[in-house]
Amino acid sequence: MREKKIVFIETPREESYGTVAVFEDLYGNKWDLIQSKEKMKKHKSVDDYIATFDKDVQLELQNIRDTILKNAPNAVESISYGMPAYKINKKPLVYFAGYKITLGFFATPNGHSEFEKDLSKYKHGKGSVQFPINENIPFELIKKNCII
């Protein structure tokens, strides 16, 4: 039996009831994952957000965070759309999130278009890319997205 894989295909959007992310499975079925506003409110800080994951995922999320902060030292860190967010001059730079089988990385769509070739080995959509948890995270690619 083939393993069923799920692919994040759309940048999260905020609705009145919460954040909606669109996913697609291996068979082409699309579905929405809704994170309620109540759940999003529980994370007061990026430290708090990262602490909700298993230790091995925490390490990868912290490494992503460190890469962003090192390469965008003027970025303001916050929680937005229920995930860690980084802004420069009040404009979004990047976001990241942990999921069950992937780590999501979200940059402005033009950031992703500049690195289309580098992103081709990963599942990605307009402004989003998924890094499988069981593979090495491409920190150089994250770095490039932070210094555009």
Side-chain angles (χ1 to χ4, degrees):
M1 183 174 188
R2 264 170 57 178
E3 181 182 332
K4 190 172 185 178
K5 294 190 178 186
I6 298 170
V7 179
F8 186 78
I9 61 169
E10 187 177 298
T11 302
R13 68 182 187 278
E14 190 166 1
E15 300 289 349
S16 61
Y17 48 84
T19 299
V20 179
V22 180
F23 291 82
E24 183 175 325
D25 66 23
L26 189 62
Y27 308 104
N29 300 312
K30 293 182 182 176
W31 46 279
D32 291 346
L33 173 69
I34 300 171
Q35 185 175 26
S36 70
K37 286 198 180 277
E38 291 77 33
K39 185 172 183 178
M40 289 190 297
K41 289 179 185 175
K42 78 177 188 177
H43 303 297
K44 303 287 187 228
S45 68
V46 175
D47 287 325
D48 182 40
Y49 177 87
I50 291 173
T52 64
F53 292 89
D54 293 337
K55 294 288 183 197
D56 56 335
V57 177
Q58 285 181 23
L59 179 62
E60 295 295 356
L61 293 172
Q62 185 62 50
N63 287 337
I64 291 171
R65 179 189 194 186
D66 293 344
T67 300
I68 294 166
L69 292 172
K70 180 179 179 182
N71 293 286
N74 295 327
V76 175
E77 182 179 74
S78 65
I79 296 290
S80 182
Y81 298 109
M83 67 183 94
Y86 299 83
K87 295 181 179 181
I88 292 183
N89 299 324
K90 299 183 182 181
K91 294 184 180 183
L93 176 65
V94 294
Y95 302 79
F96 68 87
Y99 299 100
K100 190 170 185 171
I101 59 173
T102 63
L103 299 176
F105 184 73
F106 314 94
T108 58
N110 63 328
H112 282 284
S113 63
E114 289 189 33
F115 305 109
E116 192 72 31
K117 183 179 176 185
D118 295 328
L119 292 170
S120 64
K121 81 177 252 184
Y122 303 102
K123 297 291 183 184
H124 65 281
K126 184 178 179 182
S128 67
V129 62
Q130 295 176 15
F131 304 126
I133 288 177
N134 60 351
E135 294 181 14
N136 291 330
I137 305 300
F139 293 105
E140 275 301 310
L141 185 57
I142 292 171
K143 175 182 173 180
K144 289 178 186 178
N145 271 273
C146 293
I147 56 177
I148 290 177

